[in-house]
C-alpha cells in the first residue's frame, strides 16, 4: 500500500504521527526508535535529522499533541451555552467526549511526567506549559464565576480535571466525567 504523503516534510509528519500513536498507546519508554521508524516507513537517519534524538521527537510529539488538544478544548468550552459558571460545570461534558474516544490513552503530559526521571525537569516544564494554557481558560471563566477567589477555584477545578483524566484512563469509563461534573457543581455552589 503506498503512502500518499511523500517527501522530506512528509517523512517528518509520518514520524510525528507514528510516534504520537505509539507513545500514547504503549508509553514513551516502551516504544523504541525502531518501532517508530517502522510505523512511519522512514529511515533512522531521517528521525535523527528531523529531531536530533528520541527525546527531541518526544518533545515535538508533546508540543503537537498539546497544541491540538488545547485548541480543541478551548473551542469546545467557548461553544458551551450559559454563564461562566455553567461552562465551568459543562467543561466536564467536553472531557467526557474525549474520554469516550476509541484512542483515549489519558493525558500525554501526565503520562510523560510519570514515565520520566523525576529529577529531570524537561518533561515537567513541557507539561506545565501545556497546563498553563488550560488553567488560563479555566481562570478566565473563574474570574467571572468567583471573582473573590478565582485562583482557588481555578486550581480546585484543575484538580478535578486531572483526577477525572487519570480515573478515566484506569477505568476506561467515560462516565467518570459525570462524577467530576457533579463535584464541580458542588464546588461552584459554594461560590
Amino acid at each position: 500500500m503506498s503512502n500518499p504523503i511523500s517527501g522530506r516534510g512528509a517523512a517528518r509528519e509520518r514520524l510525528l504521527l507514528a510516534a504520537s500513536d505509539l507513545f500514547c498507546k504503549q508509553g514513551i519508554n516502551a516504544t523504541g526508535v525502531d518501532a517508530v521508524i517502522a510505523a512511519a516507513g522512514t529511515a533512522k537517519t531521517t528521525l535523527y535529522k528531523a529531531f536530533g534524538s528520541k527525546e527531541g521527537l518526544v518533545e515535538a510529539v508533546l508540543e503537537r499533541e498539546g497544541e491540538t488538544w488545547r485548541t480543541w478544548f478551548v473551542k469546545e468550552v467557548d461553544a458551551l451555552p450559559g454563564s461562566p459558571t455553567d461552562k465551568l460545570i459543562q467543561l466536564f461534558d467536553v472531557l467526557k467526549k474525549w474520554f469516550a474516544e476509541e484512542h483515549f490513552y489519558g493525558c500525554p503530559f501526565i503520562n510523560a511526567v510519570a514515565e520520566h526521571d523525576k529529577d529531570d525537569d524537561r518533561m515537567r516544564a513541557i507539561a506545565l506549559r501545556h497546563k498553563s494554557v488550560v488553567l488560563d481558560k479555566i481562570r478566565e471563566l473563574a474570574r467571572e464565576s468567583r471573582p473573590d477567589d478565582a485562583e482557588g477555584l481555578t486550581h480546585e477545578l484543575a484538580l478535578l480535571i486531572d483526577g477525572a483524566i487519570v480515573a478515566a484512563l484506569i477505568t476506561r469509563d467515560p462516565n467518570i466525567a459525570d462524577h467530576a461534573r457533579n463535584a464541580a457543581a458542588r464546588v461552584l455552589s459554594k461560590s
Side-chain angles (χ1 to χ4, degrees):
M1 181 156 92
S2 67
N3 191 327
I5 300 175
S6 61
R8 186 181 215 187
R12 185 181 196 284
E13 182 65 19
R14 288 194 318 271
L15 285 163
L16 282 169
L17 291 170
S20 178
D21 182 55
L22 292 168
F23 292 164
C24 288
K25 185 176 183 181
Q26 299 175 359
I28 295 167
N29 293 331
T31 303
V33 168
D34 290 338
V36 174
I37 62 171
T42 65
K44 196 177 282 191
T45 55
T46 305
L47 184 147
Y48 289 111
K49 282 180 185 174
F51 302 102
S53 64
K54 181 182 175 185
E55 286 304 309
L57 176 61
V58 169
E59 291 175 15
V61 165
L62 289 172
E63 293 295 343
R64 159 84 66 83
E65 284 286 317
E67 184 172 332
T68 301
W69 189 89
R70 290 186 306 265
T71 299
W72 169 80
F73 180 75
V74 168
K75 181 180 172 189
E76 290 286 317
V77 171
D78 284 345
L80 292 170
S83 70
T85 300
D86 295 335
K87 290 182 179 203
L88 288 170
I89 294 169
Q90 295 170 39
L91 69 80
F92 291 93
D93 299 331
V94 172
L95 292 176
K96 186 175 182 176
K97 286 186 211 175
W98 179 42
F99 298 166
E101 290 179 5
E102 180 183 348
H103 297 285
F104 172 72
Y105 302 117
C107 172
F109 298 93
I110 292 171
N111 297 345
V113 170
E115 279 193 62
H116 277 75
D117 180 349
K118 304 312 176 256
D119 290 331
D120 182 355
D121 287 334
R122 266 176 322 145
M123 290 302 125
R124 188 174 289 108
I126 292 169
L128 287 171
R129 282 196 305 273
H130 166 75
K131 191 169 189 68
S132 72
V133 176
V134 177
L135 289 174
D136 286 346
K137 183 64 199 169
I138 297 167
R139 189 177 292 111
E140 172 190 316
L141 297 168
R143 283 186 182 126
E144 294 182 52
S145 183
R146 191 192 289 169
D148 59 323
D149 188 22
E151 200 61 25
L153 178 59
T154 298
H155 289 287
E156 290 166 1
L157 294 174
L159 287 168
L160 289 173
I161 291 169
D162 289 347
I165 292 168
V166 172
L169 171 64
I170 292 169
T171 64
R172 296 197 168 282
D173 181 2
N175 297 314
I176 289 293
D178 296 333
H179 299 294
R181 183 186 203 277
N182 294 340
R186 283 192 288 278
V187 166
L188 285 156
S189 72
K190 296 176 184 177
S191 296

